[in-house]
Amino acid sequence: YARNDKFDKPNYFDTAAGLPKSALSQHQFGGSLGWPLVRNRVFFFASYETYRLRAGQNFVEAVPSEAAWARAVPAVRVLKDGFVSPNAVILPGASANPDFDIAQLQGIQDVREHATSVRLDARLNSRWSMYGRVFHDQGRNLQPEGVTGRQVLLTANPTNAVFGLVGLLSNSVTNEFKVG
C-alpha cells in the first residue's frame, strides 16, 4: 500500500495561511509464507509487515497576543517563548479578541513499525494436536503537539507467545490447554 502527497490537493488550512501543502508519505508492505515441514503433520507459517508514515499536521490555536503579554506580570512574561514555536505563523486578522492571536504550525508526524509472527502447528495423532505462536511488534511514533512545537515520542515493543494443546477425548468432549 502506498500513498503520497503528490496525489493530494492542499487543505484549506494550508492555503488560508499561505503555507506549503502538508507532507504525506504512507507505505505499508509485508508478506507471509507458509509450508508443510512434514506432510500432513507439521506446518510452519511466518509473516512480516512494515508501516511507515510521514504526515504533515496542521495546528491552529489561540495564543496570547502582544497586548496580553504587555500587561502580564514579569514572572509570567518569562513563559512567553514556550507558547509559540519560532516556526509558527501568526494569522493576521484571524482573531476578534485583542488579547489573542491565532497561530498556525505545520508539524510532521513520523511513525515506523515492524511486526513479525511465527507459528508452528503439529498433528501428533488422530486425536491430539498442538501449536505455538510468537508475535513481536516494534513501533515508534514521533508526534507533534500544538503550536508550541513540542513533540512526544511514543515507543512500543510488545511480544507475546502462546502454546496450545488440543485433544479429542470422545466424540462429544474436547480438551484444550493454552499457555500464553
Side-chain angles (χ1 to χ4, degrees):
Y1 176 80
R3 185 171 171 204
N4 197 303
D5 58 15
K6 291 174 181 56
F7 305 119
D8 295 340
K9 288 183 65 171
N11 72 47
Y12 170 79
F13 294 105
D14 292 339
T15 56
L19 296 171
K21 181 170 55 170
S22 294
L24 177 63
S25 174
Q26 180 179 355
H27 302 282
Q28 187 173 0
F29 54 91
S32 57
L33 196 58
W35 63 89
L37 295 176
V38 177
R39 185 182 164 123
N40 295 328
R41 307 255 321 159
V42 181
F43 190 80
F44 178 80
F45 179 82
S47 69
Y48 174 78
E49 183 177 324
T50 291
Y51 177 74
R52 295 183 185 150
L53 172 69
R54 283 187 54 81
Q57 294 192 347
N58 269 305
F59 298 96
V60 179
E61 298 175 10
V63 296
S65 68
E66 289 300 323
W69 284 115
R71 291 192 315 275
V73 296
V76 172
R77 265 189 235 138
V78 298
L79 301 173
K80 181 180 178 186
D81 290 341
F83 274 82
V84 181
S85 165
N87 297 328
V89 174
I90 301 297
L91 303 177
S95 174
N97 186 330
D99 288 334
F100 291 101
D101 286 330
I102 304 299
Q104 179 176 3
L105 178 68
Q106 283 184 331
I108 297 286
Q109 177 186 17
D110 187 22
V111 179
R112 300 282 185 254
E113 187 173 3
H114 306 278
T116 305
S117 68
V118 175
R119 180 175 169 133
L120 186 68
D121 288 271
R123 193 177 81 174
L124 304 174
N125 58 41
S126 64
R127 295 196 163 278
W128 288 91
S129 62
M130 67 180 191
Y131 71 92
R133 177 188 51 79
V134 177
F135 172 82
H136 178 70
D137 187 52
Q138 205 170 10
R140 177 185 159 281
N141 179 5
L142 184 60
Q143 176 92 23
E145 291 195 341
V147 298
T148 63
R150 68 187 178 270
Q151 293 183 323
V152 174
L153 176 61
L154 305 168
T155 58
N157 293 300
T159 299
N160 64 52
V162 67
F163 169 79
L165 178 65
V166 179
L168 301 174
L169 302 180
S170 73
N171 289 339
S172 60
V173 179
T174 302
N175 184 46
E176 183 172 6
F177 172 77
K178 282 187 186 180
V179 176

